[in-house]
Amino acid sequence: MSGKTSSPSELRGKLDSLIACFHNKKATRFQMEEGIQAILEWKQANNFPGLWNPPPVMVTATLDDAMGYGLDLIHQYAKAAGLEIVELGLLQSPDKIIQACHDKKARVLGLTVLQQFSDEDAVRIGRSIPQDTLFIAGGAAFLFDPDLADEARVDYVAKDALAFLQYLLKSLK
């Protein structure tokens, strides 16, 4: 470290630059990982925790995704911004997700829903988590059923990690 103190505005600038770099472009997963890795390395080198003190808690899970590739990338982006992440893991039950949001006082729920047969579970989750929990979801189920987001009270359906980050930065002050 060069004697300079890092600040939330400096991190915010780096995150905004990453988003702007891919604005109106289709970034590959490799490009998104490479971009966020540089920010994570900068944070570590400067021992800088993130944008918020204390950090907001984000619970993450999948309902019907056994691979979790998208969620893995979301974790990297959330860590770069400075969220405290509670990873429930893959193929979680609605009860476990709802309970974790209440127990951990989650400010954000990140949920992957791939299959249409999970729509009732997504709706149950959205109607049962704390009202002040920001519900950010992703997955093909929202493409197949455009009404699912409204029915499940999803605040935002993220098409990728960059969209997730952009919405997160706009929504959490």
Side-chain angles (χ1 to χ4, degrees):
M1 203 158 105
S2 59
K4 182 178 155 193
T5 303
S6 300
S7 69
S9 62
E10 188 175 359
L11 174 58
R12 176 65 190 244
K14 289 180 179 304
L15 295 169
D16 286 339
S17 292
L18 178 65
I19 293 166
C21 176
F22 293 111
H23 185 70
N24 293 329
K25 296 179 190 172
K26 177 66 178 155
T28 66
R29 181 180 176 91
F30 175 77
Q31 290 169 322
M32 286 191 281
E33 285 179 335
E34 189 176 61
I36 207 63
Q37 190 59 42
I39 294 171
L40 287 165
E41 289 171 5
W42 173 84
K43 279 183 61 186
Q44 183 175 7
N46 290 281
N47 195 27
F48 191 74
L51 296 174
W52 305 277
N53 186 17
V57 173
M58 178 173 155
V59 170
T60 64
T62 73
L63 278 177
D64 54 13
D65 175 1
M67 302 299 277
Y69 291 132
L71 205 51
D72 178 57
L73 197 54
I74 293 298
H75 289 152
Q76 292 176 55
Y77 275 68
K79 285 177 185 170
L83 274 73
E84 178 184 328
I85 302 170
V86 177
E87 298 179 38
L88 297 182
L90 308 175
L91 304 171
Q92 296 299 309
S93 72
D95 289 336
K96 186 171 182 181
I97 295 166
I98 293 164
Q99 191 64 50
C101 287
H102 285 277
D103 291 349
K104 302 295 183 180
K105 297 179 178 29
R107 181 65 187 97
V108 180
L109 169 61
L111 184 69
T112 303
V113 186
L114 295 182
Q115 305 297 324
Q116 283 181 291
F117 65 78
S118 297
D119 60 347
E120 288 180 21
D121 289 340
V123 169
R124 184 165 155 240
I125 291 166
R127 292 174 185 224
S128 301
I129 61 175
Q131 278 195 326
D132 63 343
T133 298
L134 189 63
F135 189 0
I136 303 176
F142 297 98
L143 296 174
F144 298 127
D145 183 357
D147 296 327
L148 178 56
D150 284 336
E151 291 169 18
R153 299 180 183 167
V154 172
D155 294 294
Y156 184 69
V157 176
K159 68 177 177 139
D160 60 25
L162 288 163
F164 160 79
L165 180 62
Q166 187 170 24
Y167 183 77
L168 186 74
L169 294 176
K170 180 180 80 172
S171 300
L172 292 181
K173 300 291 178 184

